[in-house]
Structures are given as C-alpha cells and as structure tokens.
Amino acid sequence: MTIVPGLQEHDDTGIAEFAAESVVILDRHGKVRYWNPAAERLFGWPALAARGTSITKFSSAPADEKRAWTQLLQEGSWQGRVGRCTPDGNIVFADVRRHQRYGAAGEHRDVIEFARPATDAGNPHAHGGAVPDGMMAASWRIDISPASATIAEIAERADVAGEDEMGRLHHHLVEIARIVEVNERTARLVGGNRGRALMTGQSVAAFWPVGSRGILAELILEALDDKNGGVCRRQLASDGILRDPVVSVWRAGSEQLGHLFIAVYGEADDDRSYPFLRASEARYRNLIDYMPIALWQVDASHMGKIYAGLKAQGIVDFERYLEQHPELAELAATSVPVTDVNRSAIELVGGAGVQDLIRPVGYLFAESPASLRRIMIGRFTGLKNHSEFMKLRTLDDRALDVRLSVTYPEPLLELDTTIFSLEDVTDRLRMEAQLRQLQADFSHAARVSMLGELASSIAHEVNQPLAAIVTNAETSLRWLARDTPDVGKVAQLTARIAANARRADDIVQRARDMAVKQAPEPVELAFNEIIQESLLFVRHEVETRSIRVTTSFARNLPPVIGDRIQLQQVIVNMLINAVQAVECGEENDRDIAIATGTDEKGNLLFTLRDRGPGIAADHVYHIFDSFFTTKPQGMGIGLAICQSIVVAHGGEVSASNRPGGGAEFRVVLPRAGGHAVVGRLTGNAPRSFVPHPPNAA
Amino acid sequence: MLELPTVAIVDDDEAVREALGDLLMVSGLTCHTFAGAAAFLAAWTECHFDCLVTDIRMPGMTGIELVERLHDEGAKLPVIILSSVLDQQTRAHALSLGVHAWFTKPVSDEQLLGAITIAIENNSGPGG
C-alpha cells in the first residue's frame, strides 16, 4: 500500500481533532507538527503556539525528555510520564505513549504521541470526553513589529500622558498590529464569514471587539515587558461574543521577535448550541453565496470615523467638501476593503475567484468615480440606502451598465459593514433601446403613411402660394414692360412674391419635418403651440369638408417635455380620424372641438371631441390595438402608435363615447419635471441621483 | 363695346385672388374677386360678368358644384377653371358641363389671358 504522507497526516489530524485524548505529532527532531484540541486543553498551549516548537521546550525536566526521545528512536516506541510547563507557569503531568511511524519505503516519518493526564497528579482538567467548544481557545498569532514606534511612544509618554492620550495610543497599537494566523475558532467567532485565510495580514483591530482593545494593548505591552516570556492574562467582561472570556498573551519566542500569541478562553455567549449556530451560519452563507444578486460586503468603518470628524469640524455641505478634497474619495477607493463577496459578484465582474475581488473598492468605480462620491455623500448625510445606475468596467474588461444599491450600516450597531449589490442591466437597457428603436421606426412609418393621406392636401397648399408667385411675377413683368414702369406696383408685387415663397417654404418644411426619420429629441415644449401647428396640417382637409373646428386653449399651461414631431403626429393623427368620422355626417354636425387644460394632478390634458358616429361598443377596448382598423385602406397602426408615443412620454391616452353622440379622445401628458421621460425617449437610463429608492428589499 | 369686360374670380386663397386680380387689371380687364362660390352667386344676381375664373377645392361649395349650378340654371357665363386638382374624371365632368378651359395651377399669364379673351369674344358673338 502506498501512503501519501500529506494525505495520511490529513486523515490523522481530521480524526484526532475530535479525540478526547491529547494527540501530538512530532517530527523526528521532536518539533511539533500537530497538536489537537485535547492537547491544547491538557497542556494549556494553543496549537498555533505549539506548532513548530521543539517538545523539549515544554518539558519541566529537559534532561529526562532527552533520554526518553533517545529511547524512542532506538526502540520505536516509548511510554512514560512527562511534566510540561503550561503558559501560566504551572506544570502538568501526563502519561504518554509515543510511537514512531514509517513511510512506505521504511523511512522514518514522524512520531505520534498520545497523552492522558496523570491520574494521580490531581490535574484539574482530568476528565474524559470530547473537548467542548467552550474549552477550546480562540487563538491568534499576531505581529506587532509594525507598531514599534507606537510602543516606543507609549513607553516615553507613560508617565506624562493623560488617560485619553494613552487610550488613543493603545487603540492605535491594536490597529497597527497585524494578524499572522488565527485558528478556526477565532475565524468563526469574529471573522464573519471571511475565513481564516482572509484574516491573515489584516489589522487586529478589524476583528477585535472595540470594548476590549485597550485591555489587549495593555496585555501586549505587559507580555513584551516580561523578561521570561511569561503569560499575561486578564479576565474580560462578556462582549456578546464570549461569556466572561479570559485572554492570555505571550511572546512567540526569540526566533520571531515581534510575534505574540493570544489565546481567548470562554464559552460562546449565545444560548444556541454551536452546531445549531454553525448550521444556521452555513445556511445563511449558502443562501447569500448562491443568491442571484451580486453582493459585496465592504468595511468602511474608518471612513465613518473620518466623516464624524468632519461633522465635528462643522462641515455640512459634504458634496462641496469632496470637490475641494478629491483626495478623500481617492482614500476611500484605495483603503475601503471589500471583505466578502458572493458567487454572483465574482461572475459579474469576471474574476477568477474571491481573491480577485477582496481588495479596496476602487476597482468598482474606475469607470464612474462620481458614483463613489455619491455613495460617500449618502453615508455622510446618514441615508439608509442609495441606488443609482452606473457604468462598470469588469476585471475582464467588459463595459456593463449596472444598477448599484448600497445599504449603509445602521449607526448604532457595532458591526460596520456596508453592502453593495450590483445588478447587470446591460441586456435590459440594450433591449429597451432596441424596443425604442422599433417604436421609432414604427412611428416614423405611421407618420409617412399619415403624410400620404395628407399628400393631396399638402400639394394643394403648396400649389396656392406657387400659383400666386408665378402670377405676381408675370404681372410685375407686364408693369415693367410699360412705357412708364410703375415701380410702386412692382415693389408691391415683389413683396407678395417673397411672402408667398416663404409661405410655401413653411409648408414644405413642416411636411419634411414629419417625413424625416430622426431620433426623438425631448425638449421643453409649449403644448398649445403643438396643437396649433398640428392644425395647420389638416387645415385644408378641414376647410374643404366644411368641418368646423373650435379650439379652446387654456392659458398658463405648464410646459411639457417631449419630442415636437412625435407629439404633433399624435394630434394630427387624431384630427384626421375625427375628420374622417364627421365628414360623412350632416353638414351641421361636422364639428370637432379641441381643448387644452390641466387635470386634477396638474398634468396636461388634451381633449378632442367630434360629432361623428362614435366608437362601436365592441371596438372601444381595441381601438388602440395594433392593426385594429375599421377603414378599408387603413393599416390600423395610427392610434396604436399614438398610444405608444404618449406612453413613451409618460402619459396616457383614452377614448370614449360622448353621451350626446360622437367620440372623445383624451391625452394626458406629465408636466415638465419628470426626468424619466427623457430617458425613455432617448434610450439613456436616467443617471440622476435617486435619494430614496422604493424599498430595495 | 364701351365697357371693359368684367371677370369674376373665385378662390378661397387670398394670395391667389390678389395675384389674379392684379394680372387682369394690368391687362386692361375689370375684375371682381370672391372668397367663395356663395359670395359670387350672391353678386351674380346683380352684376354682369363676362367670364368666371374659379378654383375647385374650396370650403363650402366647390368649384364643380358652382359649375353644376350655373349649368342647371342655363347660364351663358363662360367658365375657366384654375385649380391644383389633377383628377381627370373631375376635369372630364367639368368639360362636359361646358366649361371653357381647365388650367392647372400655376398657369402662365399668356395662357390664362388668352383663354379669357377667347371666352369673352365667343360669348359676346352672336348672342350679344
């Protein structure tokens, strides 16, 4: 049988983890390779501290230990009693069995040691059974070498500094201290769902409860001062994580100056059992990890402190402050860490794994730095959340349109985590743009078809001024041909020619605007003017059919945002329908009444009433459907297009029969002020800052 | 002939009316302009006209309706139609009703004046 050494050890340790007996694996030189929780309990040293240390160092009688080791190497196994120093300076006696293990090739692989407390030594921890969670230390290995300047300052100022200054220095020390390694329990208790690996290299303060950072700093200083490398211990108040925890701190040893071990003992301060918690946490973690929404967990706690400082200085207009201090946004981009992401997030930004995304948030805002500033402003002003559309450049260099939602931390909760959720709306926006293009194509087609219906009217209208021009010009020539040319008369005729040419040009221009295919251009428009211009299109149709058009224009109408040509199209289309409805009726009934006004909400209202036959009962609900028509030559797109244009302008259109006969059409358009219309018409998603999005739950 | 021939012009478009009026005036004709068929008919009962120039597409009574009316009444008044209507059926219908000439706008002064001259001469011939 071939044994892969690594795998073998992994299996060993997996089982040993749950053993009630102390299990230690040593290499052939006696250095600790593995140290199970029962060993932690029995000998007091956390695995973190024990690993890599020669077993002789723990021995209360090194000479005896040496002899025992020699015997083991000679005989393959050894059994006996050993004494080991605990971190607090006591000696624990244990009965141990050691066995040498060999690899497949017969080479010496390692030594496995089983130990039980010596039953007659009155060991306080002498009881069997598995090691309960509460008995396992949450252990840390930290590096305080980056804090040497602070430590020196503390020593210098020890006698003169006030309590406040000392407190600040202590907190600073904990902030500068870095995590080298933590065990599973620490990661579970304070690491959130970041995992052990991600805690490495981070500030100790990022994970250590705020309330006891001062005490930790004191313990660190005490441990550094202890010439013997002894253990400094302190009981803490329950902090919501552990109940009455005891913290021990000691130096790692001379070969790693600046490294310290911390062990925290205590039972989880929660009535629920650990397996329950773990299952629950796993459930939530899975839930969040597999959520289809891309999520980022961000730790902007230090920015919160900066904001508090700025507020204390009396800064109120943070937007202006940010403009004047762009370096603050830069600081946020480069120093606010992403602490966790889910699968969708990795997928969205095209990273290879979690590690690609766990870094300062700046990469999310490379394409739209203004978004980051708005997020900062939202936090500063104390919003609960913020949402906007922005451009995102992914890690694999795709340009996406995303909807960003930010949930800010609640001010009174200690956990300072901000959640970003990003939704890829690129496809949606693209589809919307395509739909808008289709709608524009259709409305253009409908416009051209409408112009076709008006062609003979338009030709007639253009022809009149042309006829006048020709006749006036020829008359002028006749005046000029006389023996005494009448200059006054010629001048009058020439003025008429110019006026008629202008008139013809206006008509042609109007028709051409209708015929040209162009992107809708939302501008602020006077609604009454649109109606008056629309009436010009059908003037001839109306006049030659002896139709009376009465108009009632409301004064002081609010402006409307929209595309002039499209809105004209709607009105002209409705007018043509009305003309066709009344032209077959009695001459006395050929009435069309147009009115503008506002509805009860202050929106613009346009009504068109005719005295025609009205709308057949079964047609009332279909007249705005595409391809619905009652006309033999009609395509049935006119009113459907009218509706889609009005809807694109954020309004609505309706049709009904009038009690006295005839039909009534109503168009309601929102008054200027709704930016959404602009977006819908032009295809640009609104980029406006939306302070309170509808519940982003 | 002691009096200058008088021509009636019916067109709903003021610019066209003015232009035609000036042209006839410089050519030595007297003319009266009317904005619609109804106004002309009202004046016709009292005034003498030697020729009528009318548009077709007009609000109220159209030019064709006016021609039909004159035809029904057996009026001898020569009619010249000056219109932008291109419909051949309408044109044939008008000519069948005895319309003297049909011009499409814009018309040249020589054509129009020529037609008016011929119409007046024919009319003032044997019947007087």
Side-chain angles (χ1 to χ4, degrees):
Chain A
M1 194 174 89
T2 326
I3 298 165
V4 182
L7 185 69
Q8 175 69 37
E9 185 157 306
H10 179 264
D11 286 354
D12 282 348
T13 57
I15 294 163
E17 204 67 13
F18 304 104
E21 199 171 27
S22 160
V23 178
V24 173
I25 297 174
L26 305 157
D27 71 8
R28 56 179 304 178
H29 307 293
K31 268 196 181 165
V32 175
R33 269 194 190 167
Y34 171 73
W35 188 269
N36 80 344
E40 287 190 344
R41 184 189 54 181
L42 177 57
F43 299 115
W45 298 95
L48 269 185
R51 217 160 47 222
T53 309
S54 170
I55 195 72
T56 322
K57 289 216 167 165
F58 298 109
S59 179
S60 59
D64 290 348
E65 182 65 76
K66 235 178 174 169
R67 265 197 299 283
W69 194 255
T70 311
Q71 197 180 340
L72 166 74
L73 292 183
Q74 284 168 348
E75 299 182 10
S77 68
W78 181 84
Q79 194 162 337
R81 179 163 294 186
V82 298
R84 287 201 178 135
C85 301
T86 62
D88 43 11
N90 294 328
I91 295 172
V92 170
F93 290 97
D95 291 325
V96 310
R97 288 172 287 127
R98 288 176 183 160
H99 302 276
Q100 281 212 57
R101 297 199 296 178
Y102 302 92
E107 82 285 7
H108 178 259
R109 195 153 67 86
D110 58 18
V111 172
I112 186 157
E113 177 200 280
F114 301 98
R116 286 171 193 277
T119 41
D120 51 350
N123 196 306
H125 296 301
H127 62 84
V131 182
D133 195 49
M135 297 299 293
M136 275 173 62
S139 31
W140 310 55
R141 184 194 190 99
I142 65 167
D143 181 7
I144 52 146
S145 46
S148 49
T150 309
I151 292 166
E153 196 181 346
I154 292 173
E156 226 170 75
R157 308 276 304 159
D159 300 329
V160 283
E163 218 170 88
D164 279 4
E165 187 191 340
M166 221 13 112
R168 265 202 308 282
L169 285 169
H170 281 168
H171 274 86
H172 191 57
L173 169 60
V174 178
E175 265 164 37
I176 303 181
R178 296 285 128 188
I179 294 170
V180 178
E181 196 182 0
V182 294
N183 71 352
E184 273 300 327
R185 189 164 192 231
T186 301
R188 214 162 56 221
L189 288 171
V190 295
N193 41 19
R194 277 164 266 200
R196 288 167 62 197
L198 289 174
M199 289 175 72
T200 300
Q202 302 220 43
S203 158
V204 173
F207 299 93
W208 197 275
V210 180
S212 57
R213 281 182 202 164
I215 294 174
L216 176 63
E218 286 168 23
L219 282 170
I220 289 171
L221 296 167
E222 277 176 37
L224 289 174
D225 272 353
D226 192 314
K227 297 284 172 284
N228 305 320
V231 177
C232 307
R233 187 176 286 111
R234 196 78 65 85
Q235 166 100 46
L236 303 180
S238 299
D239 50 15
I241 301 170
L242 291 178
R243 197 173 298 146
D244 304 324
V246 175
V247 179
S248 310
V249 179
W250 66 95
R251 291 212 305 271
S254 50
E255 62 271 32
Q256 275 150 325
L257 285 173
H259 280 210
L260 294 169
F261 289 112
I262 307 169
V264 188
Y265 287 93
E267 287 190 44
D269 194 5
D270 195 304
D271 294 336
R272 289 169 296 177
S273 66
Y274 168 62
F276 178 87
L277 266 182
R278 197 159 69 164
S280 149
E281 186 189 292
R283 262 200 306 278
Y284 277 109
R285 203 172 148 59
N286 270 337
L287 183 69
I288 288 165
D289 203 28
Y290 286 99
M291 236 193 248
I293 300 164
L295 294 170
W296 274 255
Q297 181 180 286
V298 166
D299 179 3
S301 48
H302 64 292
M303 297 308 292
K305 278 169 208 145
I306 292 174
Y307 299 157
L310 290 174
K311 281 181 192 162
Q313 287 171 37
I315 305 282
V316 180
D317 188 349
F318 186 58
E319 191 171 354
R320 228 184 91 203
Y321 182 86
L322 262 185
E323 271 166 31
Q324 291 160 349
H325 300 85
E327 71 278 4
L328 188 58
E330 189 53 32
L331 176 72
T334 53
S335 75
V336 171
V338 170
T339 50
D340 200 8
V341 295
N342 67 355
R343 280 161 197 260
S344 299
I346 300 168
E347 223 167 82
L348 181 76
V349 300
V354 179
Q355 294 299 343
D356 286 350
L357 279 67
I358 302 280
R359 52 197 175 98
V361 293
Y363 70 95
L364 288 173
F365 304 102
E367 199 81 348
S368 51
S371 298
L372 176 60
R373 287 197 292 274
R374 284 191 289 270
I375 293 170
M376 294 170 72
I377 293 166
R379 169 95 191 245
F380 186 90
T381 48
L383 294 182
K384 280 202 162 74
N385 41 42
H386 165 71
S387 174
E388 67 172 55
F389 287 96
M390 70 168 197
K391 293 267 180 209
L392 174 73
R393 176 66 58 180
T394 64
L395 300 178
D396 50 0
D397 209 33
R398 288 168 295 140
L400 297 182
D401 286 301
V402 295
R403 184 191 170 87
L404 161 77
S405 301
V406 182
T407 306
Y408 296 108
E410 295 281 337
L412 293 174
L413 292 180
E414 193 195 300
L415 280 176
D416 192 320
T417 48
T418 304
I419 305 287
F420 291 175
S421 87
L422 265 61
E423 184 193 355
D424 183 0
V425 293
T426 315
D427 287 344
R428 202 181 82 197
L429 292 185
R430 194 181 300 139
M431 205 172 289
E432 280 175 9
Q434 280 170 357
L435 274 176
R436 263 189 302 274
Q437 183 57 49
L438 256 178
Q439 196 254 357
D441 289 351
F442 262 114
S443 61
H444 175 250
R447 249 186 351 254
V448 169
S449 136
M450 193 173 80
L451 278 176
E453 285 188 59
L454 295 172
S456 73
S457 265
I458 293 169
H460 181 86
E461 280 215 71
V462 177
N463 220 13
Q464 295 288 55
L466 286 182
I469 288 167
V470 169
T471 305
N472 281 323
E474 285 170 345
T475 310
S476 288
L477 291 173
R478 281 172 188 268
W479 282 111
L480 289 171
R482 293 196 163 189
D483 294 341
T484 48
D486 187 333
V487 177
K489 198 70 201 171
V490 170
Q492 187 196 18
L493 290 164
T494 310
R496 279 198 208 146
I497 289 171
N500 276 296
R502 244 175 260 123
R503 184 180 142 201
D505 182 55
D506 283 350
I507 298 162
V508 170
Q509 193 61 48
R510 219 165 45 227
R512 199 164 55 193
D513 285 349
M514 268 276 171
V516 160
K517 185 170 178 175
Q518 58 185 15
E521 194 183 324
V523 288
E524 204 169 281
L525 300 169
F527 196 53
N528 285 340
E529 275 177 28
I530 304 267
I531 313 262
Q532 276 155 345
E533 286 159 1
S534 306
L535 280 168
L536 291 177
F537 274 96
V538 294
R539 192 187 66 172
H540 196 259
E541 299 280 319
V542 164
E543 284 176 356
T544 54
R545 287 169 173 80
S546 305
I547 296 166
R548 283 173 301 279
V549 177
T550 53
T551 52
S552 154
F553 293 115
R555 285 181 189 195
N556 305 321
L557 274 188
V560 58
I561 302 261
D563 178 68
R564 174 177 292 273
I565 302 298
Q566 286 203 340
L567 290 178
Q568 273 181 16
Q569 179 181 357
V570 171
I571 308 297
V572 171
N573 200 305
M574 291 188 164
L575 282 168
I576 291 176
N577 278 351
V579 165
Q580 289 166 349
V582 299
E583 71 177 335
C584 311
E586 287 293 314
E587 207 171 316
N588 285 340
D589 285 342
R590 293 185 197 162
D591 284 329
I592 296 174
I594 286 174
T596 59
T598 49
D599 69 0
E600 57 285 352
K601 288 178 200 152
N603 291 322
L604 276 120
L605 174 67
F606 165 78
T607 58
L608 186 153
R609 302 189 174 107
D610 67 50
R611 287 233 161 270
I615 307 156
D618 31 334
H619 294 166
V620 166
Y621 300 107
H622 300 291
I623 63 165
F624 293 108
D625 292 353
S626 290
F627 309 114
F628 175 85
T629 183
T630 55
K631 301 176 209 162
Q633 289 92 9
M635 271 170 68
I637 60 170
L639 281 178
I641 293 290
C642 283
Q643 188 183 40
S644 76
I645 289 174
V646 171
V647 168
H649 281 76
E652 46 189 78
V653 57
S654 58
S656 58
N657 283 315
R658 302 169 65 195
E664 175 177 312
F665 285 81
R666 281 167 67 94
V667 176
V668 177
L669 290 170
R671 57 191 306 167
H675 295 289
V677 176
V678 179
R680 270 199 291 271
L681 281 173
T682 57
N684 296 323
R687 303 250 178 264
S688 57
F689 173 51
V690 186
H692 295 287
N695 248 338
Chain B
M1 280 208 296
L2 295 172
E3 282 183 53
L4 289 172
T6 307
V7 178
I9 294 169
V10 180
D11 199 308
D12 59 324
D13 194 287
E14 194 191 351
V16 173
R17 282 201 306 276
E18 275 179 353
L20 287 175
D22 276 356
L23 176 64
L24 297 194
M25 202 169 79
V26 77
S27 312
L29 295 162
T30 307
C31 89
H32 286 266
T33 58
F34 302 94
F40 164 75
L41 287 172
W44 187 48
T45 54
E46 290 165 20
C47 312
H48 168 78
F49 296 112
D50 296 289
C51 182
L52 167 65
V53 177
T54 182
D55 191 10
I56 296 279
R57 283 172 73 153
M58 291 181 292
M61 187 184 274
T62 67
I64 291 295
E65 285 164 348
L66 177 59
V67 169
E68 284 169 347
R69 172 83 171 269
L70 294 172
H71 182 262
D72 292 350
E73 291 183 13
K76 291 275 185 287
L77 179 65
V79 180
I80 292 171
I81 288 183
L82 180 56
S83 167
S84 34
V85 173
L86 297 169
D87 183 35
Q88 289 304 317
Q89 267 187 328
T90 315
R91 182 189 157 110
H93 177 55
L95 293 175
S96 74
L97 292 173
V99 161
H100 184 78
W102 175 294
F103 294 114
T104 305
K105 283 180 192 170
V107 67
S108 81
D109 54 348
E110 281 175 12
Q111 275 183 309
L112 179 65
L113 290 172
I116 289 174
T117 310
I118 294 168
I120 293 172
E121 274 171 10
N122 285 357
N123 202 35
S124 58

